[in-house]
Amino acid sequence: MTTMFDLSGKTALVTGSARGLGNAIAEGLAEAGAAIILSDINPNSLADAAARARDKGYTVHESAFDVTDEDAVAKAFAQFDEQGISVDILVNNAGIQIRSPLVDFPVADFRKVIDTNLTSAFLVGREAGRRMVARRAGKIINIGSLTSEQARVTVAPYAAAKGGIRLLTKSMTAEWAEFNVQINAIGPGYIVTEMNKPLIENEEFDGWVKKRTPARRWGNPSDLVGTAVFLASPASDFVNGQLIFVDGGIMAVY
């Protein structure tokens, strides 16, 4: 049974993986046997993350590129091809958050959030998808959110992007599933990350999260690893177009 979750011989690219959720998922895939390509826009943070992963004995490649830049994404995949690296698994994790009331939201910030959280998944997913379709094999995991289904105040562009991730996942499935490519999404709940630090340090919001979540706690990045390994592995070969919430039960209750 464990062979169904074995990623030996596979290579996984995880965007935004120098820290946070992306880093935890990348190392989880490495623990399951995959070689990993850590990717981030910040070369210094990327180098530090790669060094930590190598210290743990993982096979690690690094690729610093801007996931919102079409030419930079194409160049990165061209380099993978030149190096003989096949991206068997893609995790579209790169994302940012900017909070502001919608009536005051600057257009430039709105576009930045959409581009980083949604357009990047299209750009990187398209390059990976072209190659996976040609090989007739591949796994794509898009990172959604609770806001893929539910809105919250002050995060309208983030919600719009994550709602888009849900339908982008279904659209990729509609076009690529016949080529033995499985595309799914993970919807994290409230997770302890640097991006959420202001929320965690807000006693009122922290209390609301713990009360609202049936598990009565924040999630940890490691809580996403099992689902990511499942969706990256042969165990999910007939799972396609799904958004799996890893949220301590928030989406299960009214």
Side-chain angles (χ1 to χ4, degrees), residues 9-249:
K10 304 296 184 181
T11 298
L13 167 63
V14 184
T15 66
S17 52
R19 60 183 183 178
L21 300 184
N23 189 256
I25 289 171
E27 291 201 355
L29 298 177
E31 185 66 25
I36 54 174
I37 306 172
L38 297 179
S39 175
D40 200 271
I41 197 170
N42 185 322
N44 293 328
S45 297
L46 184 60
D48 290 343
R52 292 193 302 270
R54 291 189 182 104
D55 286 344
K56 297 177 182 179
Y58 302 140
T59 300
V60 183
H61 308 280
E62 302 169 49
S63 183
F65 63 93
D66 182 351
V67 292
T68 70
D69 183 324
E70 181 178 8
D71 291 339
V73 173
K75 182 178 179 181
F77 273 83
Q79 289 174 341
F80 299 153
D81 294 340
E82 291 171 4
Q83 296 166 7
I85 298 173
S86 172
V87 176
D88 306 295
I89 301 157
L90 166 65
V91 182
N92 278 314
N93 167 77
I96 61 169
Q97 178 67 282
I98 299 174
R99 294 180 173 87
S100 174
L102 188 55
V103 293
D104 299 321
F105 224 107
V107 172
D109 285 348
F110 192 98
R111 288 174 175 156
K112 184 176 182 179
V113 173
I114 294 292
D115 282 349
T116 307
N117 292 280
L118 178 58
T119 307
S120 69
F122 158 66
L123 292 174
V124 183
R126 184 178 61 175
E127 290 295 331
R130 286 168 172 165
R131 291 158 173 81
M132 292 175 178
V133 165
R135 292 196 306 268
R136 303 187 74 86
K139 302 276 187 175
I140 297 176
I141 304 169
N142 297 320
I143 301 300
S145 165
L146 298 178
T147 58
S148 293
E149 276 202 1
Q150 297 180 338
R152 280 196 57 80
V153 297
T154 75
V155 294
Y158 185 83
K162 293 303 185 178
I165 283 290
R166 180 163 200 163
L167 269 296
L168 179 64
T169 299
K170 290 178 180 290
S171 297
M172 288 176 169
T173 295
E175 298 197 21
W176 299 342
E178 66 176 296
F179 301 102
N180 191 34
V181 181
Q182 291 84 50
I183 308 96
N184 293 284
I186 297 174
Y190 288 98
I191 309 294
V192 176
T193 63
E194 186 172 333
M195 190 167 75
N196 283 332
K197 187 177 180 181
L199 303 180
I200 297 165
E201 293 176 346
N202 183 313
E203 289 187 13
E204 182 179 358
F205 194 87
D206 176 64
W208 178 86
V209 167
K210 292 173 180 174
K211 183 178 180 180
R212 180 70 176 81
T213 305
R216 298 293 183 260
R217 68 173 178 88
W218 288 74
N220 295 305
S222 59
D223 288 319
L224 302 178
V225 169
T227 305
V229 170
F230 164 66
L231 292 176
S233 74
S236 63
D237 279 353
F238 202 55
V239 180
N240 227 323
Q242 302 303 307
L243 170 59
I244 301 176
F245 289 105
V246 182
D247 64 357

